[in-house]
PDB file of all heavy atoms in Angstrom:
ATOM      1  N   GLU A   1       9.629   2.409  -3.105  1.00 79.00           N
ATOM      2  CA  GLU A   1      11.041   2.657  -3.074  1.00 79.00           C
ATOM      3  C   GLU A   1      11.385   4.105  -2.650  1.00 79.00           C
ATOM      4  O   GLU A   1      12.549   4.277  -2.296  1.00 79.00           O
ATOM      5  CB  GLU A   1      11.667   2.296  -4.398  1.00 79.00           C
ATOM      6  CG  GLU A   1      11.292   3.198  -5.518  1.00 79.00           C
ATOM      7  CD  GLU A   1      11.860   2.861  -6.891  1.00 79.00           C
ATOM      8  OE1 GLU A   1      11.490   1.684  -7.406  1.00 79.00           O
ATOM      9  OE2 GLU A   1      12.658   3.512  -7.470  1.00 79.00           O
ATOM     10  N   TYR A   2      10.461   4.998  -2.609  1.00 77.00           N
ATOM     11  CA  TYR A   2      10.716   6.302  -2.305  1.00 77.00           C
ATOM     12  C   TYR A   2      10.673   6.420  -0.618  1.00 77.00           C
ATOM     13  O   TYR A   2      10.858   7.574  -0.091  1.00 77.00           O
ATOM     14  CB  TYR A   2       9.791   7.275  -2.858  1.00 77.00           C
ATOM     15  CG  TYR A   2       9.976   7.371  -4.429  1.00 77.00           C
ATOM     16  CD1 TYR A   2       8.858   7.052  -5.163  1.00 77.00           C
ATOM     17  CD2 TYR A   2      11.203   7.525  -4.998  1.00 77.00           C
ATOM     18  CE1 TYR A   2       8.945   6.977  -6.496  1.00 77.00           C
ATOM     19  CE2 TYR A   2      11.201   7.414  -6.369  1.00 77.00           C
ATOM     20  CZ  TYR A   2      10.140   7.215  -7.134  1.00 77.00           C
ATOM     21  OH  TYR A   2      10.247   7.126  -8.517  1.00 77.00           O
ATOM     22  N   GLY A   3      10.258   5.431  -0.009  1.00 77.00           N
ATOM     23  CA  GLY A   3      10.198   5.572   1.469  1.00 77.00           C
ATOM     24  C   GLY A   3       8.766   5.397   1.902  1.00 77.00           C
ATOM     25  O   GLY A   3       7.797   5.657   1.064  1.00 77.00           O
ATOM     26  N   ALA A   4       8.515   5.222   3.197  1.00 75.00           N
ATOM     27  CA  ALA A   4       7.193   4.986   3.717  1.00 75.00           C
ATOM     28  C   ALA A   4       6.941   6.000   4.910  1.00 75.00           C
ATOM     29  O   ALA A   4       6.045   5.880   5.675  1.00 75.00           O
ATOM     30  CB  ALA A   4       6.939   3.604   4.178  1.00 75.00           C
ATOM     31  N   LEU A   5       7.790   6.974   5.016  1.00 78.00           N
ATOM     32  CA  LEU A   5       7.484   7.994   6.074  1.00 78.00           C
ATOM     33  C   LEU A   5       6.739   9.036   5.581  1.00 78.00           C
ATOM     34  O   LEU A   5       6.948   9.576   4.406  1.00 78.00           O
ATOM     35  CB  LEU A   5       8.799   8.455   6.694  1.00 78.00           C
ATOM     36  CG  LEU A   5       9.660   7.453   7.436  1.00 78.00           C
ATOM     37  CD1 LEU A   5      10.913   8.023   7.910  1.00 78.00           C
ATOM     38  CD2 LEU A   5       8.840   6.844   8.682  1.00 78.00           C
ATOM     39  N   GLY A   6       5.757   9.593   6.372  1.00 77.00           N
ATOM     40  CA  GLY A   6       4.997  10.760   5.922  1.00 77.00           C
ATOM     41  C   GLY A   6       3.606  10.335   5.455  1.00 77.00           C
ATOM     42  O   GLY A   6       3.520   9.302   4.764  1.00 77.00           O
ATOM     43  N   THR A   7       2.634  11.039   5.803  1.00 78.00           N
ATOM     44  CA  THR A   7       1.256  10.667   5.384  1.00 78.00           C
ATOM     45  C   THR A   7       1.036  10.635   3.867  1.00 78.00           C
ATOM     46  O   THR A   7       0.344   9.774   3.360  1.00 78.00           O
ATOM     47  CB  THR A   7       0.283  11.770   5.931  1.00 78.00           C
ATOM     48  OG1 THR A   7       0.472  11.876   7.397  1.00 78.00           O
ATOM     49  CG2 THR A   7      -1.139  11.358   5.725  1.00 78.00           C
ATOM     50  N   GLU A   8       1.588  11.573   3.086  1.00 78.00           N
ATOM     51  CA  GLU A   8       1.521  11.519   1.624  1.00 78.00           C
ATOM     52  C   GLU A   8       1.977  10.225   1.056  1.00 78.00           C
ATOM     53  O   GLU A   8       1.314   9.538   0.220  1.00 78.00           O
ATOM     54  CB  GLU A   8       2.239  12.595   1.027  1.00 78.00           C
ATOM     55  CG  GLU A   8       1.481  13.981   1.237  1.00 78.00           C
ATOM     56  CD  GLU A   8       0.057  13.978   0.635  1.00 78.00           C
ATOM     57  OE1 GLU A   8      -0.132  13.588  -0.415  1.00 78.00           O
ATOM     58  OE2 GLU A   8      -0.695  14.569   1.363  1.00 78.00           O
ATOM     59  N   HIS A   9       3.177   9.756   1.420  1.00 80.00           N
ATOM     60  CA  HIS A   9       3.726   8.513   1.023  1.00 80.00           C
ATOM     61  C   HIS A   9       2.822   7.305   1.336  1.00 80.00           C
ATOM     62  O   HIS A   9       2.555   6.432   0.588  1.00 80.00           O
ATOM     63  CB  HIS A   9       5.148   8.235   1.491  1.00 80.00           C
ATOM     64  CG  HIS A   9       6.237   9.058   0.795  1.00 80.00           C
ATOM     65  ND1 HIS A   9       6.394   9.165  -0.556  1.00 80.00           N
ATOM     66  CD2 HIS A   9       7.222   9.832   1.195  1.00 80.00           C
ATOM     67  CE1 HIS A   9       7.314   9.931  -0.880  1.00 80.00           C
ATOM     68  NE2 HIS A   9       7.830  10.367   0.208  1.00 80.00           N
ATOM     69  N   GLN A  10       2.463   7.309   2.651  1.00 83.00           N
ATOM     70  CA  GLN A  10       1.662   6.161   3.130  1.00 83.00           C
ATOM     71  C   GLN A  10       0.321   6.132   2.473  1.00 83.00           C
ATOM     72  O   GLN A  10      -0.069   5.129   2.058  1.00 83.00           O
ATOM     73  CB  GLN A  10       1.440   6.363   4.663  1.00 83.00           C
ATOM     74  CG  GLN A  10       2.673   6.205   5.450  1.00 83.00           C
ATOM     75  CD  GLN A  10       2.595   6.791   6.882  1.00 83.00           C
ATOM     76  OE1 GLN A  10       1.649   7.510   7.151  1.00 83.00           O
ATOM     77  NE2 GLN A  10       3.563   6.425   7.669  1.00 83.00           N
ATOM     78  N   TRP A  11      -0.305   7.282   2.226  1.00 79.00           N
ATOM     79  CA  TRP A  11      -1.565   7.219   1.415  1.00 79.00           C
ATOM     80  C   TRP A  11      -1.436   6.806   0.008  1.00 79.00           C
ATOM     81  O   TRP A  11      -2.161   5.972  -0.397  1.00 79.00           O
ATOM     82  CB  TRP A  11      -2.145   8.751   1.555  1.00 79.00           C
ATOM     83  CG  TRP A  11      -3.474   8.795   0.832  1.00 79.00           C
ATOM     84  CD1 TRP A  11      -4.630   8.539   1.402  1.00 79.00           C
ATOM     85  CD2 TRP A  11      -3.831   9.107  -0.485  1.00 79.00           C
ATOM     86  NE1 TRP A  11      -5.669   8.680   0.546  1.00 79.00           N
ATOM     87  CE2 TRP A  11      -5.192   9.067  -0.694  1.00 79.00           C
ATOM     88  CE3 TRP A  11      -2.984   9.479  -1.623  1.00 79.00           C
ATOM     89  CZ2 TRP A  11      -5.856   9.258  -1.862  1.00 79.00           C
ATOM     90  CZ3 TRP A  11      -3.590   9.734  -2.873  1.00 79.00           C
ATOM     91  CH2 TRP A  11      -4.964   9.560  -2.917  1.00 79.00           C
ATOM     92  N   ARG A  12      -0.376   7.213  -0.646  1.00 82.00           N
ATOM     93  CA  ARG A  12      -0.155   6.775  -1.951  1.00 82.00           C
ATOM     94  C   ARG A  12       0.112   5.348  -2.078  1.00 82.00           C
ATOM     95  O   ARG A  12      -0.307   4.536  -2.892  1.00 82.00           O
ATOM     96  CB  ARG A  12       1.131   7.468  -2.523  1.00 82.00           C
ATOM     97  CG  ARG A  12       0.782   8.779  -3.281  1.00 82.00           C
ATOM     98  CD  ARG A  12       1.920   9.275  -4.115  1.00 82.00           C
ATOM     99  NE  ARG A  12       1.661  10.768  -4.240  1.00 82.00           N
ATOM    100  CZ  ARG A  12       2.240  11.639  -3.586  1.00 82.00           C
ATOM    101  NH1 ARG A  12       3.074  11.356  -2.610  1.00 82.00           N
ATOM    102  NH2 ARG A  12       1.964  12.918  -3.755  1.00 82.00           N
ATOM    103  N   HIS A  13       0.968   4.789  -1.115  1.00 84.00           N
ATOM    104  CA  HIS A  13       1.243   3.258  -1.117  1.00 84.00           C
ATOM    105  C   HIS A  13      -0.077   2.510  -0.787  1.00 84.00           C
ATOM    106  O   HIS A  13      -0.303   1.475  -1.552  1.00 84.00           O
ATOM    107  CB  HIS A  13       2.210   2.950   0.015  1.00 84.00           C
ATOM    108  CG  HIS A  13       3.541   3.676  -0.106  1.00 84.00           C
ATOM    109  ND1 HIS A  13       4.125   3.996  -1.292  1.00 84.00           N
ATOM    110  CD2 HIS A  13       4.432   3.876   0.932  1.00 84.00           C
ATOM    111  CE1 HIS A  13       5.229   4.465  -1.038  1.00 84.00           C
ATOM    112  NE2 HIS A  13       5.559   4.529   0.236  1.00 84.00           N
ATOM    113  N   LEU A  14      -0.845   2.914   0.068  1.00 80.00           N
ATOM    114  CA  LEU A  14      -2.139   2.287   0.350  1.00 80.00           C
ATOM    115  C   LEU A  14      -3.070   2.241  -0.854  1.00 80.00           C
ATOM    116  O   LEU A  14      -3.499   1.216  -1.240  1.00 80.00           O
ATOM    117  CB  LEU A  14      -2.953   2.993   1.481  1.00 80.00           C
ATOM    118  CG  LEU A  14      -2.475   2.529   2.862  1.00 80.00           C
ATOM    119  CD1 LEU A  14      -3.188   3.471   3.906  1.00 80.00           C
ATOM    120  CD2 LEU A  14      -3.163   1.131   3.142  1.00 80.00           C
ATOM    121  N   ALA A  15      -3.174   3.415  -1.498  1.00 81.00           N
ATOM    122  CA  ALA A  15      -4.027   3.475  -2.702  1.00 81.00           C
ATOM    123  C   ALA A  15      -3.486   2.651  -3.814  1.00 81.00           C
ATOM    124  O   ALA A  15      -4.239   1.908  -4.446  1.00 81.00           O
ATOM    125  CB  ALA A  15      -4.144   4.929  -3.144  1.00 81.00           C
ATOM    126  N   THR A  16      -2.162   2.709  -4.059  1.00 84.00           N
ATOM    127  CA  THR A  16      -1.601   1.888  -5.140  1.00 84.00           C
ATOM    128  C   THR A  16      -1.744   0.340  -4.869  1.00 84.00           C
ATOM    129  O   THR A  16      -2.101  -0.413  -5.680  1.00 84.00           O
ATOM    130  CB  THR A  16      -0.139   2.238  -5.287  1.00 84.00           C
ATOM    131  OG1 THR A  16      -0.040   3.594  -5.509  1.00 84.00           O
ATOM    132  CG2 THR A  16       0.474   1.477  -6.418  1.00 84.00           C
ATOM    133  N   ALA A  17      -1.532  -0.004  -3.622  1.00 83.00           N
ATOM    134  CA  ALA A  17      -1.623  -1.388  -3.188  1.00 83.00           C
ATOM    135  C   ALA A  17      -3.082  -1.867  -3.390  1.00 83.00           C
ATOM    136  O   ALA A  17      -3.290  -2.996  -3.793  1.00 83.00           O
ATOM    137  CB  ALA A  17      -1.140  -1.698  -1.801  1.00 83.00           C
ATOM    138  N   MET A  18      -3.960  -1.055  -3.018  1.00 79.00           N
ATOM    139  CA  MET A  18      -5.434  -1.478  -3.181  1.00 79.00           C
ATOM    140  C   MET A  18      -5.783  -1.654  -4.634  1.00 79.00           C
ATOM    141  O   MET A  18      -6.527  -2.540  -5.005  1.00 79.00           O
ATOM    142  CB  MET A  18      -6.348  -0.530  -2.491  1.00 79.00           C
ATOM    143  CG  MET A  18      -6.210  -0.636  -0.911  1.00 79.00           C
ATOM    144  SD  MET A  18      -6.975   0.648   0.012  1.00 79.00           S
ATOM    145  CE  MET A  18      -8.746   0.275  -0.232  1.00 79.00           C
ATOM    146  N   GLN A  19      -5.300  -0.644  -5.389  1.00 83.00           N
ATOM    147  CA  GLN A  19      -5.557  -0.799  -6.948  1.00 83.00           C
ATOM    148  C   GLN A  19      -4.918  -2.061  -7.444  1.00 83.00           C
ATOM    149  O   GLN A  19      -5.497  -2.774  -8.325  1.00 83.00           O
ATOM    150  CB  GLN A  19      -5.040   0.383  -7.613  1.00 83.00           C
ATOM    151  CG  GLN A  19      -5.853   1.675  -7.401  1.00 83.00           C
ATOM    152  CD  GLN A  19      -5.200   2.802  -8.027  1.00 83.00           C
ATOM    153  OE1 GLN A  19      -4.079   2.898  -8.452  1.00 83.00           O
ATOM    154  NE2 GLN A  19      -5.934   3.937  -8.050  1.00 83.00           N
ATOM    155  N   ALA A  20      -3.615  -2.331  -7.098  1.00 83.00           N
ATOM    156  CA  ALA A  20      -2.996  -3.626  -7.527  1.00 83.00           C
ATOM    157  C   ALA A  20      -3.744  -4.862  -7.149  1.00 83.00           C
ATOM    158  O   ALA A  20      -3.832  -5.819  -7.986  1.00 83.00           O
ATOM    159  CB  ALA A  20      -1.520  -3.576  -7.031  1.00 83.00           C
ATOM    160  N   ALA A  21      -4.165  -4.812  -5.921  1.00 79.00           N
ATOM    161  CA  ALA A  21      -4.916  -6.088  -5.403  1.00 79.00           C
ATOM    162  C   ALA A  21      -6.136  -6.305  -6.305  1.00 79.00           C
ATOM    163  O   ALA A  21      -6.570  -7.404  -6.572  1.00 79.00           O
ATOM    164  CB  ALA A  21      -5.363  -5.879  -3.970  1.00 79.00           C
ATOM    165  N   GLY A  22      -6.854  -5.165  -6.798  1.00 77.00           N
ATOM    166  CA  GLY A  22      -7.970  -5.325  -7.564  1.00 77.00           C
ATOM    167  C   GLY A  22      -7.797  -5.798  -8.941  1.00 77.00           C
ATOM    168  O   GLY A  22      -8.556  -6.256  -9.661  1.00 77.00           O
ATOM    169  N   HIS A  23      -6.497  -5.466  -9.561  1.00 77.00           N
ATOM    170  CA  HIS A  23      -6.135  -5.696 -10.870  1.00 77.00           C
ATOM    171  C   HIS A  23      -5.350  -6.961 -11.194  1.00 77.00           C
ATOM    172  O   HIS A  23      -5.209  -7.368 -12.325  1.00 77.00           O
ATOM    173  CB  HIS A  23      -5.387  -4.486 -11.473  1.00 77.00           C
ATOM    174  CG  HIS A  23      -6.336  -3.358 -11.681  1.00 77.00           C
ATOM    175  ND1 HIS A  23      -6.161  -2.108 -11.060  1.00 77.00           N
ATOM    176  CD2 HIS A  23      -7.473  -3.216 -12.296  1.00 77.00           C
ATOM    177  CE1 HIS A  23      -7.185  -1.310 -11.284  1.00 77.00           C
ATOM    178  NE2 HIS A  23      -7.993  -1.894 -11.999  1.00 77.00           N
ATOM    179  N   SER A  24      -4.790  -7.502 -10.085  1.00 74.00           N
ATOM    180  CA  SER A  24      -3.834  -8.663 -10.290  1.00 74.00           C
ATOM    181  C   SER A  24      -4.173  -9.771  -9.251  1.00 74.00           C
ATOM    182  O   SER A  24      -3.776  -9.706  -8.101  1.00 74.00           O
ATOM    183  CB  SER A  24      -2.435  -8.097 -10.104  1.00 74.00           C
ATOM    184  OG  SER A  24      -1.512  -9.217 -10.253  1.00 74.00           O
ATOM    185  N   PRO A  25      -4.944 -10.738  -9.680  1.00 78.00           N
ATOM    186  CA  PRO A  25      -5.343 -11.769  -8.789  1.00 78.00           C
ATOM    187  C   PRO A  25      -4.191 -12.548  -8.200  1.00 78.00           C
ATOM    188  O   PRO A  25      -4.215 -12.911  -7.028  1.00 78.00           O
ATOM    189  CB  PRO A  25      -6.140 -12.733  -9.706  1.00 78.00           C
ATOM    190  CG  PRO A  25      -6.673 -11.904 -10.779  1.00 78.00           C
ATOM    191  CD  PRO A  25      -5.618 -10.897 -11.033  1.00 78.00           C
ATOM    192  N   GLU A  26      -3.174 -12.727  -8.942  1.00 78.00           N
ATOM    193  CA  GLU A  26      -1.924 -13.376  -8.389  1.00 78.00           C
ATOM    194  C   GLU A  26      -1.179 -12.644  -7.272  1.00 78.00           C
ATOM    195  O   GLU A  26      -0.451 -13.176  -6.397  1.00 78.00           O
ATOM    196  CB  GLU A  26      -0.962 -13.818  -9.529  1.00 78.00           C
ATOM    197  CG  GLU A  26      -0.333 -12.667 -10.253  1.00 78.00           C
ATOM    198  CD  GLU A  26      -1.064 -12.161 -11.371  1.00 78.00           C
ATOM    199  OE1 GLU A  26      -2.200 -12.687 -11.740  1.00 78.00           O
ATOM    200  OE2 GLU A  26      -0.647 -11.205 -12.103  1.00 78.00           O
ATOM    201  N   LEU A  27      -1.379 -11.320  -7.252  1.00 81.00           N
ATOM    202  CA  LEU A  27      -0.814 -10.379  -6.289  1.00 81.00           C
ATOM    203  C   LEU A  27      -1.770 -10.027  -5.222  1.00 81.00           C
ATOM    204  O   LEU A  27      -1.370  -9.272  -4.290  1.00 81.00           O
ATOM    205  CB  LEU A  27      -0.103  -9.204  -6.868  1.00 81.00           C
ATOM    206  CG  LEU A  27       1.138  -9.472  -7.759  1.00 81.00           C
ATOM    207  CD1 LEU A  27       1.563  -8.138  -8.378  1.00 81.00           C
ATOM    208  CD2 LEU A  27       2.191 -10.078  -6.991  1.00 81.00           C
ATOM    209  N   GLN A  28      -2.984 -10.480  -5.241  1.00 81.00           N
ATOM    210  CA  GLN A  28      -3.975 -10.029  -4.334  1.00 81.00           C
ATOM    211  C   GLN A  28      -3.699 -10.169  -2.907  1.00 81.00           C
ATOM    212  O   GLN A  28      -3.911  -9.368  -2.108  1.00 81.00           O
ATOM    213  CB  GLN A  28      -5.290 -10.622  -4.726  1.00 81.00           C
ATOM    214  CG  GLN A  28      -6.479  -9.950  -3.989  1.00 81.00           C
ATOM    215  CD  GLN A  28      -7.882 -10.470  -4.555  1.00 81.00           C
ATOM    216  OE1 GLN A  28      -7.834 -11.379  -5.256  1.00 81.00           O
ATOM    217  NE2 GLN A  28      -8.906  -9.640  -4.207  1.00 81.00           N
ATOM    218  N   ASP A  29      -3.253 -11.393  -2.526  1.00 82.00           N
ATOM    219  CA  ASP A  29      -2.890 -11.749  -1.160  1.00 82.00           C
ATOM    220  C   ASP A  29      -1.699 -10.812  -0.671  1.00 82.00           C
ATOM    221  O   ASP A  29      -1.808 -10.245   0.422  1.00 82.00           O
ATOM    222  CB  ASP A  29      -2.602 -13.098  -0.935  1.00 82.00           C
ATOM    223  CG  ASP A  29      -3.757 -13.996  -1.135  1.00 82.00           C
ATOM    224  OD1 ASP A  29      -4.977 -13.558  -0.929  1.00 82.00           O
ATOM    225  OD2 ASP A  29      -3.647 -15.227  -1.316  1.00 82.00           O
ATOM    226  N   LEU A  30      -0.658 -10.738  -1.489  1.00 85.00           N
ATOM    227  CA  LEU A  30       0.517  -9.956  -1.051  1.00 85.00           C
ATOM    228  C   LEU A  30       0.160  -8.488  -0.949  1.00 85.00           C
ATOM    229  O   LEU A  30       0.488  -7.904   0.084  1.00 85.00           O
ATOM    230  CB  LEU A  30       1.595 -10.182  -2.116  1.00 85.00           C
ATOM    231  CG  LEU A  30       2.925  -9.442  -1.837  1.00 85.00           C
ATOM    232  CD1 LEU A  30       3.596  -9.853  -0.520  1.00 85.00           C
ATOM    233  CD2 LEU A  30       3.852  -9.498  -3.040  1.00 85.00           C
ATOM    234  N   THR A  31      -0.465  -7.875  -1.974  1.00 83.00           N
ATOM    235  CA  THR A  31      -0.707  -6.437  -1.908  1.00 83.00           C
ATOM    236  C   THR A  31      -1.832  -6.177  -0.844  1.00 83.00           C
ATOM    237  O   THR A  31      -1.778  -5.137  -0.166  1.00 83.00           O
ATOM    238  CB  THR A  31      -1.175  -5.927  -3.222  1.00 83.00           C
ATOM    239  OG1 THR A  31      -2.293  -6.650  -3.817  1.00 83.00           O
ATOM    240  CG2 THR A  31      -0.003  -5.919  -4.214  1.00 83.00           C
ATOM    241  N   GLY A  32      -2.745  -7.085  -0.644  1.00 79.00           N
ATOM    242  CA  GLY A  32      -3.755  -6.842   0.352  1.00 79.00           C
ATOM    243  C   GLY A  32      -3.173  -6.830   1.764  1.00 79.00           C
ATOM    244  O   GLY A  32      -3.539  -6.032   2.597  1.00 79.00           O
ATOM    245  N   ARG A  33      -2.310  -7.843   2.003  1.00 82.00           N
ATOM    246  CA  ARG A  33      -1.634  -7.952   3.252  1.00 82.00           C
ATOM    247  C   ARG A  33      -0.757  -6.641   3.565  1.00 82.00           C
ATOM    248  O   ARG A  33      -0.688  -6.050   4.605  1.00 82.00           O
ATOM    249  CB  ARG A  33      -0.858  -9.154   3.462  1.00 82.00           C
ATOM    250  CG  ARG A  33      -0.281  -9.350   4.877  1.00 82.00           C
ATOM    251  CD  ARG A  33       0.418 -10.739   4.942  1.00 82.00           C
ATOM    252  NE  ARG A  33       1.650 -10.630   4.157  1.00 82.00           N
ATOM    253  CZ  ARG A  33       2.782 -10.984   4.461  1.00 82.00           C
ATOM    254  NH1 ARG A  33       2.939 -11.643   5.674  1.00 82.00           N
ATOM    255  NH2 ARG A  33       3.876 -11.029   3.698  1.00 82.00           N
ATOM    256  N   PHE A  34      -0.049  -6.237   2.497  1.00 83.00           N
ATOM    257  CA  PHE A  34       0.714  -5.021   2.596  1.00 83.00           C
ATOM    258  C   PHE A  34      -0.191  -3.752   2.842  1.00 83.00           C
ATOM    259  O   PHE A  34       0.213  -2.890   3.691  1.00 83.00           O
ATOM    260  CB  PHE A  34       1.569  -4.740   1.362  1.00 83.00           C
ATOM    261  CG  PHE A  34       2.167  -3.422   1.217  1.00 83.00           C
ATOM    262  CD1 PHE A  34       3.354  -3.154   1.999  1.00 83.00           C
ATOM    263  CD2 PHE A  34       1.598  -2.367   0.486  1.00 83.00           C
ATOM    264  CE1 PHE A  34       3.906  -1.822   1.951  1.00 83.00           C
ATOM    265  CE2 PHE A  34       2.210  -1.092   0.568  1.00 83.00           C
ATOM    266  CZ  PHE A  34       3.345  -0.872   1.209  1.00 83.00           C
ATOM    267  N   ALA A  35      -1.354  -3.702   2.229  1.00 81.00           N
ATOM    268  CA  ALA A  35      -2.119  -2.568   2.476  1.00 81.00           C
ATOM    269  C   ALA A  35      -2.661  -2.598   3.858  1.00 81.00           C
ATOM    270  O   ALA A  35      -2.668  -1.460   4.529  1.00 81.00           O
ATOM    271  CB  ALA A  35      -3.380  -2.678   1.437  1.00 81.00           C
ATOM    272  N   VAL A  36      -2.976  -3.669   4.452  1.00 80.00           N
ATOM    273  CA  VAL A  36      -3.435  -3.677   5.865  1.00 80.00           C
ATOM    274  C   VAL A  36      -2.278  -3.299   6.736  1.00 80.00           C
ATOM    275  O   VAL A  36      -2.563  -2.575   7.689  1.00 80.00           O
ATOM    276  CB  VAL A  36      -3.994  -5.197   6.103  1.00 80.00           C
ATOM    277  CG1 VAL A  36      -4.129  -5.286   7.700  1.00 80.00           C
ATOM    278  CG2 VAL A  36      -5.190  -5.395   5.492  1.00 80.00           C
ATOM    279  N   GLU A  37      -1.074  -3.823   6.556  1.00 82.00           N
ATOM    280  CA  GLU A  37       0.018  -3.459   7.437  1.00 82.00           C
ATOM    281  C   GLU A  37       0.286  -1.947   7.264  1.00 82.00           C
ATOM    282  O   GLU A  37       0.475  -1.344   8.347  1.00 82.00           O
ATOM    283  CB  GLU A  37       1.243  -4.349   6.937  1.00 82.00           C
ATOM    284  CG  GLU A  37       1.183  -5.730   7.141  1.00 82.00           C
ATOM    285  CD  GLU A  37       1.189  -6.118   8.627  1.00 82.00           C
ATOM    286  OE1 GLU A  37       1.785  -5.411   9.476  1.00 82.00           O
ATOM    287  OE2 GLU A  37       0.648  -7.177   9.041  1.00 82.00           O
ATOM    288  N   MET A  38       0.276  -1.439   6.074  1.00 82.00           N
ATOM    289  CA  MET A  38       0.569   0.001   5.881  1.00 82.00           C
ATOM    290  C   MET A  38      -0.440   0.822   6.580  1.00 82.00           C
ATOM    291  O   MET A  38      -0.221   1.913   7.168  1.00 82.00           O
ATOM    292  CB  MET A  38       0.759   0.304   4.447  1.00 82.00           C
ATOM    293  CG  MET A  38       1.043   1.770   4.114  1.00 82.00           C
ATOM    294  SD  MET A  38       2.561   2.387   4.860  1.00 82.00           S
ATOM    295  CE  MET A  38       3.818   1.507   3.949  1.00 82.00           C
ATOM    296  N   ALA A  39      -1.777   0.315   6.379  1.00 81.00           N
ATOM    297  CA  ALA A  39      -2.851   1.118   7.059  1.00 81.00           C
ATOM    298  C   ALA A  39      -2.694   1.117   8.505  1.00 81.00           C
ATOM    299  O   ALA A  39      -2.991   2.264   9.151  1.00 81.00           O
ATOM    300  CB  ALA A  39      -4.203   0.449   6.595  1.00 81.00           C
ATOM    301  N   VAL A  40      -2.349   0.068   9.125  1.00 79.00           N
ATOM    302  CA  VAL A  40      -2.239   0.095  10.623  1.00 79.00           C
ATOM    303  C   VAL A  40      -1.185   1.002  11.038  1.00 79.00           C
ATOM    304  O   VAL A  40      -1.299   1.784  12.006  1.00 79.00           O
ATOM    305  CB  VAL A  40      -1.922  -1.363  11.147  1.00 79.00           C
ATOM    306  CG1 VAL A  40      -1.522  -1.431  12.585  1.00 79.00           C
ATOM    307  CG2 VAL A  40      -3.199  -2.260  10.969  1.00 79.00           C
ATOM    308  N   TRP A  41      -0.007   0.969  10.285  1.00 81.00           N
ATOM    309  CA  TRP A  41       1.076   1.888  10.696  1.00 81.00           C
ATOM    310  C   TRP A  41       0.628   3.384  10.343  1.00 81.00           C
ATOM    311  O   TRP A  41       0.914   4.151  11.255  1.00 81.00           O
ATOM    312  CB  TRP A  41       2.278   1.456   9.847  1.00 81.00           C
ATOM    313  CG  TRP A  41       3.499   2.341  10.063  1.00 81.00           C
ATOM    314  CD1 TRP A  41       3.898   2.964  11.339  1.00 81.00           C
ATOM    315  CD2 TRP A  41       4.554   2.674   9.250  1.00 81.00           C
ATOM    316  NE1 TRP A  41       5.062   3.496  11.138  1.00 81.00           N
ATOM    317  CE2 TRP A  41       5.518   3.365   9.834  1.00 81.00           C
ATOM    318  CE3 TRP A  41       4.823   2.369   7.879  1.00 81.00           C
ATOM    319  CZ2 TRP A  41       6.706   3.783   9.279  1.00 81.00           C
ATOM    320  CZ3 TRP A  41       5.924   2.705   7.273  1.00 81.00           C
ATOM    321  CH2 TRP A  41       6.889   3.538   7.979  1.00 81.00           C
ATOM    322  N   ALA A  42       0.076   3.614   9.264  1.00 82.00           N
ATOM    323  CA  ALA A  42      -0.328   5.034   8.934  1.00 82.00           C
ATOM    324  C   ALA A  42      -1.246   5.545   9.825  1.00 82.00           C
ATOM    325  O   ALA A  42      -1.195   6.789  10.201  1.00 82.00           O
ATOM    326  CB  ALA A  42      -0.775   4.985   7.453  1.00 82.00           C
ATOM    327  N   ILE A  43      -2.247   4.827  10.240  1.00 79.00           N
ATOM    328  CA  ILE A  43      -3.367   5.363  11.061  1.00 79.00           C
ATOM    329  C   ILE A  43      -2.739   5.665  12.426  1.00 79.00           C
ATOM    330  O   ILE A  43      -3.271   6.598  13.270  1.00 79.00           O
ATOM    331  CB  ILE A  43      -4.553   4.503  11.070  1.00 79.00           C
ATOM    332  CG1 ILE A  43      -5.820   5.322  11.453  1.00 79.00           C
ATOM    333  CG2 ILE A  43      -4.409   3.357  12.060  1.00 79.00           C
ATOM    334  CD1 ILE A  43      -6.229   6.204  10.441  1.00 79.00           C
TER     335      ILE A  43
END
């Protein structure tokens, strides 16, 4: 909710999404897909 512009935000979003994917099986597909999309944009 703080935005997705800037490397710091993108890195935090990626790290948080990857952690959420590992801890919540019901959100694994959603957070995993978000992490991939954010990674492509961030890189």
